[in-house]
Amino acid sequence: MDTLSASPCTCFRLRRASRQLSQLYDAHLSPAGLSLNAYSILRRAPRPRQLGELADALGMDRTTLTRNLKPLLAAGWLEATRGDDARQRLIAITPAGKAVLRRARPLWRRAQDAVEATFGPAPTARLNALLDQLDHALPAGEPA
């Protein structure tokens, strides 16, 4: 690591690596017309889900999710409906969204394979386990 990127800040290091990974996945997913963010949202909406539930599954706040849903709704890949309670907003993937997701899955797999080829399968598995552990250790939406 060079001195420009060296930092004692865990969040900085994680975000820097995250940006690089996102660029790799975005490049692989671009032939399907998706970013990693859009792909992740579509993958987590296989059935109608409340907006808050979907936000929690993605680790996003509702405002950020709402902003990220707009292009997916406009493309017809997701639909928003009202739930039993008129205040409830349900988000679900459409048949067109399922089709784009089917096209994107092998592209995502190639991105994942590229990460594992570069970093190694065992370090990738360890990193995923550590990230899951960190995710569960941190309180959602509030300072630790």
Side-chain angles (χ1 to χ4, degrees):
M1 180 175 294
D2 63 35
T3 56
L4 289 177
S5 62
S7 173
C9 180
T10 302
C11 189
F12 171 82
R13 289 169 178 249
L14 187 59
R15 290 185 74 155
R16 179 179 163 93
S18 176
R19 283 189 289 272
Q20 292 174 345
L21 275 173
S22 292
Q23 289 170 6
L24 184 144
Y25 280 86
D26 285 348
H28 277 83
L29 289 166
S30 68
L34 293 176
S35 65
L36 176 61
N37 201 31
Y39 177 81
S40 295
I41 293 169
L42 291 174
R43 288 265 308 155
R44 282 152 188 86
R47 59 173 173 73
R49 295 179 90 167
Q50 290 183 30
L51 186 64
E53 179 189 357
L54 184 57
D56 288 344
L58 291 160
M60 285 184 185
D61 63 70
R62 289 171 60 114
T63 304
T64 301
L65 176 58
T66 298
R67 186 175 53 250
N68 282 279
L69 289 175
K70 287 179 184 177
L72 302 175
L73 292 163
W77 295 336
L78 290 176
E79 64 183 354
T81 58
R82 293 285 171 206
D84 296 334
D85 180 337
R87 296 168 296 175
Q88 200 177 55
R89 185 172 177 207
L90 301 176
I91 305 297
I93 195 166
T94 64
K98 289 177 183 177
V100 76
L101 197 54
R102 277 192 302 275
R103 287 193 306 275
R105 277 193 181 121
L107 302 172
W108 174 87
R109 182 75 252 169
R110 284 188 213 127
Q112 185 69 21
D113 290 347
V115 170
E116 290 179 11
T118 301
F119 194 50
T124 301
R126 281 194 311 275
L127 176 62
N128 288 340
L130 285 170
L131 290 171
D132 288 345
Q133 184 180 354
L134 178 62
D135 186 45
H136 294 328
L138 295 172
E142 54 188 77

